[in-house]
Amino acid sequence: VETLRFSLWYYVFFLILYIFYGESEVVEVCQTEAESVTIAVIADYGEAGPEEKTLSELVKRWNADIIVTLGDNNYWYGDPGTIDQNVGQYWKDWIYPCCNGWQRLKNTAYKKNRFFPSIGNHDWITTWPVFDEGRSQFYPLPITHLNYFTLPGNERYYDFVCGGLIHLFALDTNDEEPHGNTLYTEQAAWLHQNLGKSAYPWKVVYGHHPPHSSGKHGSNVSLQWPFKEWGASLHLAGHEHQYERFEVEG
């Protein structure tokens, strides 16, 4: 009886959030009906220097269709004074519109954004209160990130499609996210709903903090959402500065 009661409230909770917040308009960012796409995934990269330069040159040689990031795009404080140095100078060919100052004139090859970052803890350090008219409330938000990139949805968590093949879902896994980062929150309800209705063959979820990790930061139990049950094919995360692979629930 207790299990049944819990399950009922679980689905009622997500139904209520879906009614208010669940719809999402999917944006296609690659060539439609492509036979294959190349996606570069980078993480914890945003500190200007020879290492990031080498990384950007490698990705250019791949001729990646798009780049997704697993957060920490702008070390160390998410400051507007460092984001061109840490991001724009290396990735301007994928960012549109790009960037601040003189860099804006450099991105002429494409007129579509091909750079899709998730937000890391360092990106959340510099914030500014923004008024949410729907809730009549101010929230501190990572203003450098939001002003610099042009992304779908609310730009903190969002989804898009590449090549008619892959449906990607970027999460904001930070505790500061005003729509929550645990299972019974608006962000989780959004993901649950949109994974469930997606008909694309690959559905990839990505964000900064790892649900499972053997690294120094450890696992984030509050982020251990039932991704596979909801329809995800793959989950990607950063934060730990090391490479691991997990197979969870088969």
Side-chain angles (χ1 to χ4, degrees), residues 9 12 14 16 18 47 50 70 90 93 101-102 111 161 163 187 190 202 204 220 226 234 244-245:
W9 278 111
V12 168
F14 276 107
I16 292 172
Y18 163 63
E47 184 176 17
L70 308 182
Y90 301 110
D93 291 338
W102 66 271
K111 299 299 182 182
V161 174
Q187 181 178 195
W190 167 85
W202 290 93
V204 178
N220 293 268
L234 176 68
E244 289 187 296
R245 296 177 65 173

Side-chain angles (χ1 to χ4, degrees), residues 48-49 83-92 102-103 148:
I83 194 165
D84 255 349
Q85 179 183 4
N86 287 336
V87 181
Q89 71 165 316
Y90 301 110
W91 311 104
K92 59 183 177 291
W102 66 271
Q103 301 261 10
Y148 199 77

Side-chain angles (χ1 to χ4, degrees), residues 85-154:
Q85 179 183 4
N86 287 336
V87 181
Q89 71 165 316
Y90 301 110
W91 311 104
K92 59 183 177 291
D93 291 338
W94 284 270
I95 302 172
Y96 186 83
C98 178
C99 303
N100 295 329
W102 66 271
Q103 301 261 10
R104 184 176 295 278
L105 303 176
K106 296 290 186 177
N107 183 21
T108 58
Y110 292 89
K111 299 299 182 182
K112 180 184 287 188
N113 183 55
R114 301 187 298 147
F115 193 89
F116 297 91
S118 61
I119 307 176
N121 53 292
H122 286 276
D123 306 314
W124 257 103
I125 292 176
T126 298
T127 62
W128 189 260
V130 176
F131 187 70
D132 186 329
E133 294 183 358
R135 295 170 176 78
S136 299
Q137 186 175 351
F138 281 95
Y139 293 108
L141 294 178
I143 197 67
T144 303
H145 177 95
L146 297 178
N147 284 346
Y148 199 77
F149 301 110
T150 301
L151 302 168
N154 66 24

Side-chain angles (χ1 to χ4, degrees), residues 27-35 37 112 161-165 200:
V27 177
E28 170 63 70
V29 301
C30 302
Q31 179 183 351
T32 58
E33 305 302 327
E35 293 184 1
V37 294
K112 180 184 287 188
V161 174
C162 182
L165 298 171
Y200 294 93

Side-chain angles (χ1 to χ4, degrees), residues 35-106:
E35 293 184 1
S36 64
V37 294
T38 300
I39 300 175
V41 181
I42 61 177
D44 304 87
Y45 65 95
E47 184 176 17
E51 293 85 358
E52 188 175 0
K53 184 176 184 293
T54 299
L55 175 63
S56 68
E57 291 170 348
L58 174 63
V59 173
K60 286 179 182 178
R61 290 198 298 272
W62 289 350
N63 194 26
D65 293 287
I66 63 171
I67 299 171
V68 303
T69 88
L70 308 182
D72 282 355
N73 309 284
N74 183 23
Y75 283 106
W76 288 90
Y77 306 107
D79 189 271
T82 58
I83 194 165
D84 255 349
Q85 179 183 4
N86 287 336
V87 181
Q89 71 165 316
Y90 301 110
W91 311 104
K92 59 183 177 291
D93 291 338
W94 284 270
I95 302 172
Y96 186 83
C98 178
C99 303
N100 295 329
W102 66 271
Q103 301 261 10
R104 184 176 295 278
L105 303 176
K106 296 290 186 177

